[in-house]
Amino acid sequence: VMHLLLRRTNCREHIVRVLRRALHSKPGLNDWAQSFLVLNQAYRRAIEAITQRQPSCPGRQTTVSLQELEAVISHQSILSESHMVSQVFHPHFLELTSPSGAAQEAAGATGADRWHIPLPEATSESAECVSRPTSSPYILSVVMAYLRSLLGMQILPHKVLQCFVFDICMYFEQEHTLQQLVHYHVLLDSTELVARLKEVALRRNRPWATQACLDMAHRVREHSTVA
């Protein structure tokens, strides 16, 4: 079905509905991996088509901005990280966690923070979740499968997805997973992640977050945070 829809134009909304229904029916993660493989193969081909038009710079990796990419695929059925977060993952998260289940954007936020999930208040279990990881919720497992699929295609995840992964890990108390993603630079340096790490360090008093915040702030030259 995915192969057929991706060959047609203006079928993105239908693919989104299929994915949203799948989140409710909860198929196995292998099924998700196969679906993401099909989706991201088409996404990778679109990226390559754009990079081939750009002048090559020896010794430098060619990158494509998300805005440029989405302008090119606007009438295609391909889904970018922004589409997946804004139309699939974040609305489903709200259905799970908010009474109304209505899609919401953070007031006044732009870019990667439009779909920000606020850090919840610490609970008595929160202090234990670093050393004793809890089981991963289904939605987080699916998001991680999508992230792995992108990396397997050698697609660096846009910070819209990276920030969403950070937020949802903290919301579901998966700090052990988050630490690994930050430590091994799966989540790449950005000012948005510096702000999130700072909040975790201050509100949760997490030494790992303090060190990661300082290291990342130094690399992105957020000198006010380092000070």
Side-chain angles (χ1 to χ4, degrees), residues 41 71-72 90 115 205:
Q41 282 176 337
V72 172
H90 189 263
W115 313 106
N205 192 27

Side-chain angles (χ1 to χ4, degrees), residues 43-54 61-73 81 155-159:
Y43 188 35
R44 178 68 190 178
R45 287 194 293 269
I47 294 173
E48 290 174 347
I50 296 173
T51 57
Q52 288 171 3
R53 304 175 198 165
Q54 299 178 344
Q61 183 179 13
T62 304
T63 59
V64 179
S65 71
L66 187 61
Q67 291 78 9
E68 180 184 4
L69 180 59
E70 291 187 342
V72 172
I73 66 174
E81 299 99 310
I155 300 173
L156 294 178
H158 189 270
K159 61 184 176 182

Side-chain angles (χ1 to χ4, degrees), residues 23 27 29 32 36 89 137-147:
L23 283 171
L29 293 178
W32 280 108
F36 291 148
F89 295 141
Y138 183 78
I139 176 61
L140 179 56
S141 298
V142 174
V143 172
M144 294 300 296
Y146 176 66
L147 179 64

Side-chain angles (χ1 to χ4, degrees), residues 115-137:
W115 313 106
H116 177 50
I117 300 171
L119 181 67
E121 295 298 326
T123 64
S124 57
E125 291 80 15
S126 297
E128 303 177 19
C129 67
V130 179
S131 58
R132 185 176 58 82
T134 58
S135 59
S136 177

Side-chain angles (χ1 to χ4, degrees), residues 147-214:
L147 179 64
R148 284 193 296 271
S149 178
L150 288 173
L151 295 171
M153 295 282 175
Q154 296 185 321
I155 300 173
L156 294 178
H158 189 270
K159 61 184 176 182
V160 168
L161 176 63
Q162 294 186 49
C163 289
F164 183 77
V165 169
F166 188 106
D167 292 345
I168 200 170
C169 281
M170 287 304 304
Y171 186 90
F172 288 118
E173 299 185 347
Q174 300 294 308
E175 288 189 44
H176 179 76
T177 297
L178 182 57
Q179 284 185 71
Q180 300 303 308
L181 295 175
V182 172
H183 179 75
Y184 291 106
H185 302 285
V186 177
L187 301 185
L188 304 177
D189 297 347
S190 70
T191 56
E192 290 86 355
L193 288 186
V194 168
R196 284 164 167 78
L197 286 166
K198 181 179 179 180
E199 183 181 20
V200 172
L202 294 177
R203 290 182 52 189
R204 297 288 182 85
N205 192 27
R206 296 289 194 264
W208 73 266
T210 300
Q211 189 60 55
C213 177
L214 292 173

Side-chain angles (χ1 to χ4, degrees), residues 1-19 21 38-39 42 75-79:
V1 174
M2 288 292 183
H3 282 293
L4 177 62
L5 292 173
L6 286 167
R7 293 194 195 104
R8 303 177 64 181
T9 59
N10 298 313
C11 284
R12 184 179 296 139
E13 289 185 7
H14 188 78
I15 294 176
V16 167
R17 288 196 295 270
V18 169
L19 295 172
R21 286 198 297 267
V38 174
L39 286 173
H75 296 294
Q76 300 179 39
S77 301
I78 298 169
L79 275 70

